[in-house]
Structures are given as C-alpha cells and as structure tokens.
Amino acid sequence: MSIDLLVVAPHPDDGELGCGGLLARAKAQGQSTGILDLTRGEMGSKGTVEIRAQEAAEASKILGLDYRGNLGLPDGAVADVELQRQALSKVIR
C-alpha cells in the first residue's frame, strides 16, 4: 500500500488535532492519507486507551483515511533506539 501523505504522531488524536485540516485537504485533492500513532496514549490524563482507540477509529472515518496504524510503543518512553527505529521504518517502507 502506498500513502501520499502519512502523519506520524505520538498519541491517538495528535494527528487529527495537529494535521486534520491538511489531511482533509489532501484527501479532497485525491491523495491517499494516513496516520501512524507511535503509542496508545496510555499515560494520557483524558480518557482511557479504549476510548482513544474508538475516537481514533471515528476520526479516521470522518477524514476518510486510507491507513491508520499504531506501533504500540510505550507512552512516555519513545526513544531513538534500534528496536523502535526498525518498527517505524517497517511501516514507512
């Protein structure tokens, strides 16, 4: 699968909040779009992991995303380490 515009965000909802307009515009122009969340947002103080996952799914539908993924890295511990780089590069490739 090839994606024209992929937003990489630390937590579910960050991609929509930070780049929702860009994603909607790109989609309206015929580009394929997606969001890759690095974590499930388990350290967030607003909502549970399950609620965030439901909201991410709904936002994906509204934005018409072609791809939505989550690496499941540990929230608060994303680091420039080999294992995490490999996980990210696997999705990008």
Side-chain angles (χ1 to χ4, degrees):
M1 169 188 284
S2 176
I3 300 293
D4 296 313
L5 175 62
L6 178 65
V7 172
V8 179
H11 312 104
D13 79 8
D14 290 343
E16 297 91 317
L17 293 172
C19 298
L22 175 65
L23 288 161
R25 183 175 185 177
K27 190 67 175 175
Q29 293 175 345
Q31 296 180 345
S32 58
T33 58
I35 296 176
L36 174 64
D37 303 310
L38 298 179
T39 74
R40 297 179 321 137
E42 60 269 22
M43 292 183 65
S45 59
K46 296 185 180 178
T48 63
V49 168
E50 294 78 20
I51 290 171
R52 291 183 122 185
Q54 291 171 350
E55 291 173 347
E58 185 62 27
S60 297
K61 288 179 193 173
I62 291 168
L63 289 169
L65 298 181
D66 299 288
Y67 171 80
R68 182 68 186 242
N70 192 307
L71 287 184
L73 300 178
D75 195 5
V78 174
D80 184 14
V81 296
E82 185 67 25
L83 195 61
Q84 292 184 16
R85 286 194 305 269
Q86 287 177 354
L88 179 59
S89 66
K90 182 178 178 181
V91 172
I92 291 173
R93 288 184 185 142

